[in-house]
Every structure is written in structure tokens, then in C-alpha cells.
Amino acid sequence: MSDSNTTDFTNPSTFILLGIPGLEIAHVWISIAFCTMYAIAILGNFTILFIVKIEPSLHEPMYYFLCMLAVSDLVLSTSTLPKMLSIFWFNSREIDFSACLTQMYFIHCFLTMESGIFVAMALDRYVAICDPLRHSTILTNHVVAMISLAVVLRGCVLVLPTPFLARRWPYCTTNIIPHTYCELACNDTLISSYYCLFLVFFVTGLDMLFIAVSYTQILRTIFSLPTKDTRLKTFGNCGSHFCVILAFYIPGLFSFLTQQFGHNVALHFHVLMANIYLLVPPMLNPIIYGVRTRQIRDRLLRLFPHKRT
């Protein structure tokens, strides 16, 4: 074994990504599923962006935030999937140290942004349902732009120390990463550990708390409506948002818990859950909004000519 694999080092020139350890024989079949998810995510999110752009009636805060979510999903899936496929199809496992840090930054940066986008969307739904008469005066284009800028800056700034801390980490005794993308967690430095916990519990925890409070108020307002039809119609207005929140946070929470406490769980299960967390929400989000949002669905159907009966 080479010295680089037996002694501590700080800045290796390259890392070796193993893919999904233990499932090497199934890499080709897994790649087909992942590639299909990626193709659906690309097609669906670009469709959302196109529909919102060409339809003036969709130029509202909810759909502006939806466009931000689509862009975030495109970046998340594109920052990981091409390298995964190169591992599965061409056995191209090496990745440059700087490229590894860049990939890690983009993943965590846009995950943080996506969580912030869900908070912004929850705020929009709260105002639309709990104070509908003032929705257009509260969430003006200027306010929406400021919220969007805050979400982007928060993601960029909070995750920015991560690659700089990573350059100072001791990478155990090997430059081999048993994963499909760069997840440099093989270190014992207290600063990096505390900072990662800060991002998970402070940022994501506060986002989930804000969303929970918003939806508590939304549900209270919905249940106070006089008729069942009105309650169902109003709940349908925020149903899509509620579904994509579940699709984002549940796999993420499950992946985090298995990494922290599932020490007896097989490694390939950890890696698969991490990949599902990054690939499934970008695929599901445009499908959920396309199916459940009538304005998007109707505008999409008008793009395809059909015979009159």
C-alpha cells in the first residue's frame, strides 16, 4: 500500500470515488434509474421555467419562488449526476481536490438555498390564505426580490467556510471516498464538526420551525372557514407546497439520522439514501406542481394542439 494511504495528509491532489460500495455489480442498473431521474428533473424544471416565463398570469410571488426552486433543483442534480454516471459507465473515479471541494460547496450551498426557498414559499402561502386582501400589497415585487436575494446570500455565505475548513482537515489515512460524490467527513476537528452541526440544526431547524408555525396558522384559518368545499379549495392552494416540503425534508432527515445513528446499517444503504435525497426531490417537484397546480397544468396543455370534438 502506498504511503498516501497509510499516513495522514492534508491536501491530497486527487480523491477516488468508489460509487456505491457493495453494489458494484449493479452499478449499470442503478445508473439507468439515476439517469432517468435526471432526465425527468431536467425536462420538468425547464418546463416550469418556460411556462412561468411565457404566461403573464403566473408572474406572481408563488411562481417566482417556484422558479428559484427549479433553478436550485437543476444545479443540485447537475452538480452530482454527471460524475456519478462517469463512475458507473466509464469507471472514471478520480476527482481533483479543488473540484471535490467545489462540488461539496455547490451541494451544501444549494441545499441551504432550497430550504430557504421553502420558507419563502411558506410565507407566501401564509399571507395568501391568512390575509388574502393584503397579499399584493405585502408581497410586492420589491419585497419578493429582497427575500430572494436574502435566500441566495444566506446559502452562499453560510456554506462558504466549509471548503476553507475542508482544506485544513486531516483526511484520515486515505484519499478514497466510499461515495458517489464528494462527502469529506473523515476528520475529527472540533471546529468543522461544530460548524456542520450548526448548519444542520440552526439553519435547517429554524427553517422547519418557521414552516411548521406558518402551516399551523394556515390550518387554523382553513378549519375556521364556513363550508367544506371552501376548506378543500383553500387547502388545495397550498397542497403542492406541502407535498414538496415533505419530499425534501423527509429523505434528508432520514439520511441524516442513518448517518449519525445507523452505525450498523450497511454502507451502500447510506450512500443510496444520500443519492435519493439529492435526486428524487428535483425529479418530483416539477411533477407535483405540474399535476396539482391548475394554472401550470392548463398552460402546459395549451402548448399541445388537440382536435376539437
Side-chain angles (χ1 to χ4, degrees):
M1 186 177 293
S2 64
D3 292 340
S4 63
N5 289 334
T6 57
T7 60
D8 288 347
F9 52 94
T10 304
N11 287 323
S13 59
T14 60
F15 284 101
I16 306 297
L17 298 171
L18 295 184
I20 305 179
L23 294 180
E24 290 84 358
I25 195 172
H27 272 181
V28 173
W29 298 107
I30 294 172
S31 71
I32 294 173
F34 284 180
C35 190
T36 302
M37 292 181 189
Y38 182 58
I40 295 173
I42 293 293
L43 178 63
N45 285 294
F46 271 117
T47 301
I48 292 291
L49 293 172
F50 177 72
I51 292 295
V52 173
K53 177 177 172 53
I54 66 173
E55 180 56 50
S57 65
L58 299 180
H59 294 175
E60 298 177 357
M62 172 183 172
Y63 300 103
Y64 292 148
F65 294 138
L66 179 57
C67 287
M68 289 183 63
L69 182 64
V71 172
S72 177
D73 285 338
L74 288 170
V75 175
L76 266 179
S77 53
T78 302
S79 63
T80 55
L81 210 289
K83 184 58 184 177
M84 288 185 202
L85 295 181
S86 71
I87 296 170
F88 295 152
W89 291 347
F90 309 113
N91 203 33
S92 176
R93 301 176 184 272
E94 288 192 0
I95 184 170
D96 182 74
F97 181 61
S98 297
C100 192
L101 295 183
T102 302
Q103 185 190 55
M104 187 174 65
Y105 174 77
F106 270 88
I107 290 172
H108 293 288
C109 174
F110 280 87
L111 283 175
T112 305
M113 281 188 204
E114 194 147 325
S115 184
I117 293 168
F118 287 132
V119 172
M121 296 173 82
L123 174 64
D124 172 71
R125 291 299 85 199
Y126 168 77
V127 176
I129 293 174
C130 298
D131 198 359
L133 297 180
R134 298 179 57 202
H135 181 264
S136 59
T137 57
I138 294 175
L139 291 177
T140 62
N141 287 339
H142 177 72
V143 172
V144 170
M146 291 298 100
I147 293 174
S148 302
L149 181 62
V151 167
V152 173
L153 288 178
R154 187 188 75 151
C156 294
V157 172
L158 287 180
V159 183
L160 188 60
T162 304
F164 294 101
L165 287 172
R167 286 189 174 274
R168 302 171 59 87
W169 289 346
Y171 293 99
C172 297
T173 58
T174 181
N175 63 339
I176 295 175
I177 303 175
H179 217 299
T180 54
Y181 58 85
C182 285
E183 193 64 37
L184 305 181
C186 195
N187 63 85
D188 298 315
T189 56
L190 289 177
I191 295 177
S192 60
S193 298
Y194 288 151
Y195 191 73
C196 290
L197 289 175
F198 163 78
L199 289 179
V200 171
F201 289 106
F202 181 76
V203 178
T204 308
L206 283 182
D207 288 351
M208 293 177 68
L209 177 62
F210 184 90
I211 292 170
V213 171
S214 298
Y215 267 90
T216 300
Q217 297 301 317
I218 288 172
L219 290 175
R220 288 180 59 186
T221 302
I222 290 175
F223 287 129
S224 67
L225 295 174
T227 65
K228 181 179 179 181
D229 289 341
T230 306
R231 290 194 292 268
L232 290 175
K233 182 179 179 181
T234 305
F235 184 77
N237 291 332
C238 58
S240 300
H241 181 227
F242 188 70
C243 289
V244 297
I245 286 174
L246 294 179
F248 178 78
Y249 284 111
I250 289 179
L253 182 62
F254 192 74
S255 177
F256 175 76
L257 291 176
T258 54
Q259 286 184 13
Q260 295 299 316
F261 306 107
H263 302 298
N264 296 324
V265 178
L267 179 59
H268 66 264
F269 184 80
H270 288 290
V271 177
L272 280 173
M273 284 304 305
N275 284 297
I276 287 173
Y277 176 46
L278 293 182
L279 294 177
V280 171
M283 176 190 69
L284 287 181
N285 291 345
I287 295 176
I288 292 171
Y289 273 101
V291 171
R292 293 187 57 87
T293 307
R294 180 181 57 80
Q295 295 91 329
I296 294 177
R297 185 175 64 247
D298 292 347
R299 187 63 183 88
L300 180 61
L301 292 175
R302 293 209 307 269
L303 293 177
F304 302 98
H306 56 279
K307 295 181 180 179
R308 296 182 178 272
T309 56

